[in-house]
Amino acid sequence: MQFFSKKISQVYLVLLVGAFLTLTGNFTFFEKTMQIYPFVENSLFVISLSLFLFSFLTSILLLVCFRWSIKPILIFLLLLSSVLAYSTNNYGIVFDHNMITNTFETDASELGDLMSIQFILYLFFLGLLPSYFVWKIKLTKIPLMPQFWQRFKVFVTLVVVFIVVVLSFSKHYSSFARENRDLRLYITPSYFLYSSIKFVDSKIETSAKPFEVIGEDAVINKKSDKRRLVIFVIGETARRDHMSLNGYSLKTNPLLEKEDIISFSNMTSCGTDTAWSVPCMFSLLGRDSYSHAKGKNMSNVLDLVSHAGASVVWLENNSSSKSVADRIEFLDLRSSQNNPICDPECRDEGMLVNLQNYIEEQDKKDILIVMHTMGSHGPAYYKRYPKEFEVFKPVCKTNQLNECSDNEISNAYDNTILYTDYFLSKVIELLKDNSKDSDTAMLYVSDHGESLGEGGLYLHGMPYFMAPDEQKDVAAFMWLDESMSKLFDKNIVMENSVLPQSHDSLFHTILGLMDVETELYQKNLDLMVK
């Protein structure tokens, strides 16, 4: 092609790609900015933001893009930005370092739920097509010194533009940075690159930190002669306000409403995504102190219960245990090899099929079973339940949630809650079958909530400081058999259930439920006592 026979300098190629990334990757950023600074009244400031982003990104690229690195770096950024733009524009996802962690720990099937025709269009027009242009274009060969001076002059010009823009609208930028910090999370690809550095730094810190064994004094001090059998179900993406047990208008919990359920109707999560919340749920540290470097390099409550002498097993039907089950028995039920109920997605109820055999094999040992469910994982809610559970209609039948009405999205999501209700009723049924020889209990707590279109947001994973309540307010239930209701004062548990609670209580509540004594136990954080 004649067009590709023309040559341009490395500097001009960087300028072209920098301008393209600024214009095509930041639609959501400018949309949200103009909600705060209407364009008609702040047109010069909004235009200055374009120059701000362009000059900042391009000056950085000029420092790292040279003869051998320029095309690979620019192509990588183009492909990356097309994916980021798709995720942000369609789901409102922002990529801080924790969301990057969550992305790396998500399995292929979950990533597949995000794929669509629209994703392919984004990838083709904003990623592959401009990448082809970058790959095919010929670069002029300029001697080293002239090239250096050309690059230096353009770099200085960009820095001057950057400074002039900031100084010209200093009052705007001052208030913008102080009062609207969350908007920076939508800047593509600059904020992603910044978050990636934090992610790598966190990984290095986590791997370098030695593992700390805690709770070696943990022992079981039995409160009865019976074996203790507790099933802890980790819900996925379950909001507390969509539970009919908590007063939701639709009957999403018809089976649980027939049981003697205690609903913790004011429970909040440790984080807004699975990668953060799940390890935090089992950690001694609590939300304010938790980090992966600390939490993943320290014994968790399952380690303590196992050390005390109980049988502990993790049943996995989600993405992974996020390192929580690294030192206990683990069974993967995400494929038909171990899960007999797959159609083709492996259902949560498949975790129950051979569970009675496991219980009987433990003889008289106390047992703690953790079930990590697929639950209500989005955006393909319609895939999360068997056809017979499609009660609330019409439903959203695509993973492109912005193409569905709020009612269709909510109905599809509520059907997943209905299936969870059925699954939990089967868990209780199993526990009832074992209550003759065991003190049995079920604790269900979701890892985080979900945005279903409120405020234009979908899914989850927003940074905690700016996340809406829908992503932090989680469903939490407890069921106790007759003997457990006597061992623990059920009235106290019910009193605690209406108070503000959080994932911080789970470490100590699990110790209490399993009769495990240790100096680490904090009575004031145990949901079972006053």
Side-chain angles (χ1 to χ4, degrees), residues 44-49 51-52 159-174:
L44 292 179
F45 172 63
V46 173
I47 293 171
S48 80
L49 279 172
L51 293 173
F52 178 97
V159 172
V160 170
V161 169
F162 183 86
I163 294 172
V164 169
V165 163
V166 172
L167 292 178
S168 299
F169 297 90
S170 58
K171 291 184 179 179
H172 285 78
Y173 280 98
S174 178

Side-chain angles (χ1 to χ4, degrees), residues 377-394:
H377 201 291
Y381 305 118
Y382 67 98
K383 293 182 179 180
R384 301 288 94 90
Y385 53 85
K387 185 66 178 177
E388 59 267 27
F389 287 87
E390 193 167 283
V391 173
F392 307 112
K393 301 177 181 181

